[in-house]
Amino acid sequence: MPAAFDDHLGAKFSGRWILLTAMNIRRIAILCFLVALLTAVYALTRTQRWEAAAVTMVPGGQGSIMSQLGDLGDIAGSMLPGSMASLAGMGSMSAGTPAGMDITVVNQVLSSRTVLERVLLKYNLLEQFNSPTMDLAIEKLGTRISVTLSPEGFLIVAAQAESREDAAAMVNDMILFANDELSTIITTRARRARILAQQSVTAAEDSLDAAQVRLEEFRSETGFLFPEIQGAQAMDVLSTLETELVLAEAQLAGVSGTMSPSSPAYTEIAQQVSYLRGSIEERMSSGDSLSVFPGMEGIPSILREYERIAIDVETRRVIYLMLRQELESLKLQEAQESPTLEVLIPATPSGLRAYPKRGMMVVTNTLAALILALLWLAVVAYSRDLLTREETGAFWKNVVSISRRQLFLGGKKDQGKGS
């Protein structure tokens, strides 16, 4: 019974395949050994790469503080080894909800061409990739970086580089470049209003500068640095001169009855009275050119011009301060509403290299070689079955013979038969 069973199994395709495999076990073993050896040599010649990853979030992109802590515990627990994996239990406390539009915008910006180009240029990856164009370099860089959106609404940014430090720095720069781009994209009404307010503040500042320049020119032309103070002091000077004039005239009237006009004392008092009168008349008209006080005749018009310029300056100053206050308010509102990336878990390089995984490569290629060898033996067994079968053997042998003659693969014997 066993012999009959063996004859029955040997007549089948599976039996012939197993028998052929057993006859070529040594060759299969040598093939797998050579593949494993070549793979190991190939893996040793590959440039090592290390991976770093950071967990980020978009403020306002989660449902609540407790949900943020819980979801962050899930991710941190999955990324950290050992006892730290217990943090994943915090995720059962609550479930977060993605922010939708904001997270989508941030995700697109992180993977945008602008951010990738800045990374390529900063780390000189064009030369490292030997890429003649930026498009090819971006395509190769896409195989080394990844931006993953977790179900909890967190963005996991990962990058590979030839050193641990470069990998972490690349992740940090991607986040930094993305925030720079997000700061220039109009994503909220507050940002649009802030831009308009900033333009208005610039215009108001230019207007205030022009008014202040006009006030400076007015002070240079008139000599009125402090018009109100100088006008009041001019009145004090005039009142002092008039008081001295009255006293001098009273003294002159007193000595006129006892002294002759030719006496020295009388002449001195008369000249003093004359000087005081001339000084008062000069100050009442155009003013003394050597005095800091202008003439009283022009003070009203000067003060009127000064008040007009001062009102203009104060009005523009108030407008400028109001716009500045509104701008600061809009900046705060923009910071609250605009999407930005906040780092929750900093970029930390992994302890093991990301490429090449030498053990995995050897095992994978060896298994692939073993499977291919078994498939090839199956093809050989099936082909022999076709050639040895009575109903199909003659036909397929004739096909093989004709094909060899057509391809000039036959020997002289075959060629003679064909002729």
Side-chain angles (χ1 to χ4, degrees), residues 57-64 67-68 71 96-100 102-103 152-154:
M57 66 170 288
V58 180
Q62 315 297 326
S64 64
S67 67
Q68 292 178 23
D71 298 334
T97 55
D102 288 347
I103 292 183
E152 298 83 7
F154 293 99

Side-chain angles (χ1 to χ4, degrees), residues 143-162:
T143 61
R144 297 194 180 186
I145 63 173
S146 64
V147 179
T148 307
L149 177 61
S150 69
E152 298 83 7
F154 293 99
L155 286 170
I156 303 174
V157 184
Q160 294 181 5
E162 295 182 0

Side-chain angles (χ1 to χ4, degrees), residues 46-164:
R46 298 302 92 192
T47 302
Q48 298 182 4
R49 294 203 300 264
W50 308 86
E51 186 176 42
V55 179
T56 63
M57 66 170 288
V58 180
Q62 315 297 326
S64 64
I65 297 298
M66 295 303 295
S67 67
Q68 292 178 23
L69 293 175
D71 298 334
L72 181 58
D74 290 336
I75 296 178
S78 63
M79 296 180 65
L80 298 176
S83 60
M84 296 301 291
S86 61
L87 290 174
M90 297 174 61
S92 60
M93 298 170 60
S94 179
T97 55
M101 182 62 69
D102 288 347
I103 292 183
T104 302
V105 171
V106 173
N107 194 3
Q108 293 297 324
V109 171
L110 269 173
S111 305
S112 65
R113 183 184 181 93
T114 305
V115 174
L116 298 182
E117 284 183 354
R118 293 181 66 177
V119 172
L120 286 169
L121 294 176
K122 180 173 182 179
Y123 293 92
N124 196 24
L125 297 179
L126 286 171
E127 181 178 354
Q128 182 178 339
F129 292 158
N130 294 323
S131 299
T133 62
M134 183 65 72
D135 293 332
L136 293 176
I138 290 176
E139 184 178 351
K140 291 183 179 180
L141 181 62
T143 61
R144 297 194 180 186
I145 63 173
S146 64
V147 179
T148 307
L149 177 61
S150 69
E152 298 83 7
F154 293 99
L155 286 170
I156 303 174
V157 184
Q160 294 181 5
E162 295 182 0
S163 66
R164 292 184 174 92

Side-chain angles (χ1 to χ4, degrees), residues 303-319:
L303 287 177
R304 184 176 67 251
E305 179 68 18
Y306 171 76
E307 290 176 353
R308 186 183 66 81
I309 297 176
I311 291 174
D312 189 23
V313 171
E314 289 301 322
T315 302
R316 300 186 186 192
R317 181 181 288 113
V318 170
I319 294 175

Side-chain angles (χ1 to χ4, degrees), residues 208-331:
L208 179 59
D209 289 340
Q212 290 175 339
V213 169
R214 177 67 187 95
L215 180 60
E216 183 180 356
E217 293 175 352
F218 168 80
R219 287 173 172 171
S220 300
E221 293 171 357
T222 61
F224 260 20
L225 300 180
F226 305 99
E228 294 88 351
I229 299 176
Q230 287 176 285
Q233 290 179 351
M235 294 298 297
D236 292 340
V237 171
L238 282 175
S239 62
T240 302
L241 290 175
E242 188 172 357
T243 301
E244 292 179 359
L245 177 60
V246 172
L247 292 176
E249 287 180 344
Q251 188 178 4
L252 182 62
V255 298
S256 62
T258 60
M259 293 183 183
S260 64
S262 60
S263 63
Y266 185 88
T267 303
E268 180 181 354
I269 296 174
Q271 288 180 351
Q272 184 179 0
V273 171
S274 176
Y275 173 78
L276 290 173
R277 286 179 177 275
S279 179
I280 291 175
E281 290 177 356
E282 184 179 8
R283 293 181 182 279
M284 288 297 294
S285 57
S286 60
D288 188 1
S289 60
L290 298 178
S291 175
V292 296
F293 307 115
M296 293 299 296
E297 183 180 12
I299 284 181
S301 61
I302 293 175
L303 287 177
R304 184 176 67 251
E305 179 68 18
Y306 171 76
E307 290 176 353
R308 186 183 66 81
I309 297 176
I311 291 174
D312 189 23
V313 171
E314 289 301 322
T315 302
R316 300 186 186 192
R317 181 181 288 113
V318 170
I319 294 175
Y320 173 73
L321 293 177
M322 291 176 59
L323 290 175
R324 279 295 300 270
Q325 183 179 2
E326 182 67 20
L327 177 60
E328 297 301 325
S329 176
L330 289 173
K331 284 182 178 179

Side-chain angles (χ1 to χ4, degrees), residues 188-198 327 330:
T188 61
R189 294 182 179 179
R191 177 166 294 177
R192 186 178 293 105
R194 190 264 303 169
I195 294 174
L196 296 177
Q198 199 163 11
L327 177 60
L330 289 173

